[in-house]
Amino acid sequence: MARSIKLYQIDRFPETFPIESAEVNSGEGSTSFKTTVKELGKSEYTKTPLDKIQIIHQIGDKFEGKGILEDGTIHEIIAVATEEKFPCFVKEKKFLYTSGTKRVISEHAIKRLKNHPDTDPKKRLDAKSVKIDLVKFKEHLQDSQEGAIRGGWFRGMKVANVEVAYLGGGTVTESEDWEKYETSGGTISALRIDIPGLDEEEETIKTLLTKDGNLVLYKHLGEYQSLSIAIPIFDAAEAFII
């Protein structure tokens, strides 16, 4: 099962916890939702000091139909709130890594905390998605040999009849097509990277890094193992945030 870890850049970090967003309404019915953030302590991963927090994000699942209560009465059901709980990791109050949830959920939670904050300015968590120059990051990987590039997604090239392209293979970056797409005025939107396993006998870990800082690990790993792969990638990518 794939696991996703998303990088955000922090603009403002709370002085105290827990914090909550203001309650918001989706416009469907009278149900309101909020997002809460709590401290959990320190991460299992210790090579880079990381504070661990938990986001509890209420979302609305819309239903239209009838519901029967325990007393047998029938009521119209419009919507119900559900909660998504997932851990996040904080580096030096500058970067935030969301984990254990779908990308769309983490993005929605971060957006709600920023756009509908608590009225107390000391309880604000403002974070934003990053943009990584994957062309320069690719060059870094090739020089450092910290990971092997196995493919790339290209968008916005000035190539006739080509809007989006994927190139893959063991020596793909040496191909004529890669050079043509990279120099055609477009951007690399994602890189497929093989990362060495955590020990000598372990096979390589397949990953995908997008230009907005979403790292997909194509293997189910625990907190320590996931961050052991992700944090070195993100640490290196920080130099290429634009």
Side-chain angles (χ1 to χ4, degrees):
M1 180 184 295
R3 184 184 183 97
S4 176
I5 301 177
K6 179 83 163 62
L7 168 64
Y8 295 88
Q9 196 162 14
I10 296 173
D11 290 327
R12 181 184 296 190
F13 196 74
E15 295 181 17
T16 60
F17 286 94
I19 66 170
E20 293 182 347
S21 72
E23 291 193 355
V24 296
N25 187 285
S26 64
E28 300 287 346
S30 59
T31 307
S32 294
F33 312 103
K34 65 181 179 181
T35 300
T36 305
V37 186
K38 299 179 179 179
E39 284 184 301
L40 293 181
K42 297 294 183 179
S43 166
E44 296 174 7
Y45 180 77
T46 56
K47 291 183 179 180
T48 298
L50 298 173
D51 293 316
K52 186 175 181 179
I53 60 178
Q54 182 184 56
I55 292 182
I56 302 98
H57 182 60
Q58 293 181 338
I59 55 177
D61 287 341
K62 185 179 178 182
F63 297 89
E64 290 186 357
K66 297 184 182 295
I68 302 177
L69 302 184
E70 291 180 353
D71 63 5
T73 57
I74 299 176
H75 295 265
E76 296 289 336
I77 294 179
I78 302 300
V80 63
T82 62
E83 287 186 344
E84 288 280 341
K85 297 181 181 180
F86 54 94
C88 304
F89 306 92
V90 180
K91 176 186 172 184
E92 301 172 349
K93 299 181 181 179
K94 296 179 180 178
F95 296 99
L96 175 73
Y97 315 104
T98 61
S99 179
T101 190
K102 296 178 181 178
R103 171 178 174 165
V104 65
I105 296 295
S106 74
E107 289 177 341
H108 192 241
I110 295 298
K111 183 177 179 180
R112 181 184 293 168
L113 289 165
K114 181 174 183 176
N115 293 348
H116 304 281
D118 188 291
T119 54
D120 186 348
K122 295 181 180 180
K123 294 188 174 183
R124 293 282 298 271
L125 175 56
D126 290 352
K128 61 188 178 186
S129 286
V130 300
K131 185 176 180 181
I132 302 170
D133 186 334
L134 290 182
V135 173
K136 292 183 178 179
F137 185 62
K138 177 215 70 173
E139 295 170 357
H140 163 79
L141 286 178
Q142 290 175 314
D143 293 339
S144 65
Q145 298 185 338
E146 294 171 358
I149 299 170
R150 300 304 186 194
W153 286 95
F154 294 82
R155 294 179 181 274
M157 303 85 65
K158 296 182 174 118
V159 178
N161 302 319
V162 179
E163 294 182 4
V164 179
Y166 175 77
L167 297 175
T171 57
V172 64
T173 56
E174 300 173 13
S175 70
E176 292 182 3
D177 283 338
W178 186 286
E179 182 179 1
K180 179 175 69 174
Y181 290 155
E182 190 174 303
T183 58
S184 66
T187 60
I188 300 177
S189 59
L191 286 174
R192 249 284 291 121
I193 309 167
D194 280 354
I195 303 298
L198 300 177
D199 57 59
E200 293 182 357
E201 298 181 357
E202 187 177 1
E203 62 183 12
T204 58
I205 308 295
K206 296 179 179 179
T207 72
L208 179 76
L209 177 66
T210 65
K211 68 178 181 179
D212 64 346
N214 191 56
L215 181 69
V216 180
L217 308 177
Y218 291 99
K219 186 175 184 179
H220 183 70
L221 300 169
E223 177 181 317
Y224 177 82
Q225 292 83 2
S226 296
L227 293 176
S228 295
I229 296 295
I231 297 304
I233 294 176
F234 288 138
D235 284 348
E238 285 176 18
F240 305 98
I241 294 176
I242 54 178

